[in-house]
Amino acid sequence: MIITSQIPIKNLSQDDLKVMNEAAQFYNNILEHLCHTNNKSQHHIHHSILYGYRRMIAQRFTRRNIPMRNTLNLEVYQAFVAFDSLIYFQDKTDNQLKKVKANKIANEIFRELPQAEDIHSLSINSQMIK
C-alpha cells in the first residue's frame, strides 16, 4: 500500500520534542560522517531530508506560545528518517528516560509507516534495486 498523506504524530510533549531533536542531532552527526567517508547518494538524501525535519522540530521551540501538546505532521519520507533517528538514538543513549521516550515515539511512527518488505531494517540500509 502506498501512503500519500501525511503521518500525524500526536500528543507530543515538550520533552518528547526535545528527545526527537536530540535524536535528530545525533543522527545528523552519523549521516555527516557517512557522507564524508562512504559518500553514497542514500546518505546525502537522508541528510537532506533530516535537515528539513530538524527545521520543523526547531520551529516548535521558537514559537512565542509553546503549546503543552504538539502534533507533527510528517511526510512519509520524513517519517522514515525520523524513525531511523529515534532507533539509532535509543540504541546509543544511556539515559533510560530518553530511551523510553524515543522508543514510544518510534513505535507510534512505525505503526503508521507503509509495511514495506524491508521495514525491519533501517531505511538508510534499504536497497533500491536488488
Side-chain angles (χ1 to χ4, degrees):
M1 175 177 66
I2 296 175
I3 297 175
T4 56
S5 61
Q6 291 184 329
I7 296 175
I9 311 302
K10 299 177 182 175
N11 293 319
L12 294 169
S13 68
Q14 287 298 309
D15 288 339
D16 292 337
L17 288 173
K18 287 177 184 174
V19 167
M20 292 174 81
N21 188 51
E22 195 171 335
Q25 179 60 46
F26 178 79
Y27 192 44
N28 184 67
N29 294 341
I30 291 171
L31 289 174
E32 284 182 355
H33 176 74
L34 290 173
C35 287
H36 292 300
T37 58
N38 296 353
N39 199 25
K40 293 187 177 180
S41 59
Q42 189 79 350
H43 302 145
H44 289 280
I45 291 166
H46 273 244
H47 188 266
S48 178
I49 294 168
L50 184 67
Y51 177 78
Y53 167 69
R54 288 178 60 207
R55 284 187 37 220
M56 180 190 305
I57 293 172
Q59 288 175 346
R60 302 297 170 138
F61 291 118
T62 57
R63 289 183 180 173
R64 284 188 177 219
N65 298 321
I66 300 173
M68 294 298 288
R69 293 284 174 197
N70 292 276
T71 298
L72 280 182
N73 292 310
L74 302 176
E75 298 292 340
V76 175
Y77 61 88
Q78 290 172 319
F80 274 110
V81 171
F83 177 76
D84 281 2
S85 73
L86 291 162
I87 295 300
Y88 270 111
F89 181 72
Q90 77 180 21
D91 287 345
K92 300 298 181 187
T93 187
D94 294 328
N95 184 313
Q96 283 301 113
L97 181 60
K98 289 179 181 179
K99 193 174 283 208
V100 168
K101 283 187 177 294
N103 186 50
K104 177 189 84 95
I105 300 164
N107 284 333
E108 187 174 338
I109 293 171
F110 183 79
R111 283 192 300 271
E112 301 297 327
L113 288 174
Q115 296 302 304
E117 181 180 303
D118 60 352
I119 191 70
H120 293 291
S121 66
L122 297 172
S123 62
I124 192 74
N125 298 326
S126 179
Q127 299 294 317
M128 295 292 284
I129 301 174
K130 289 188 179 182

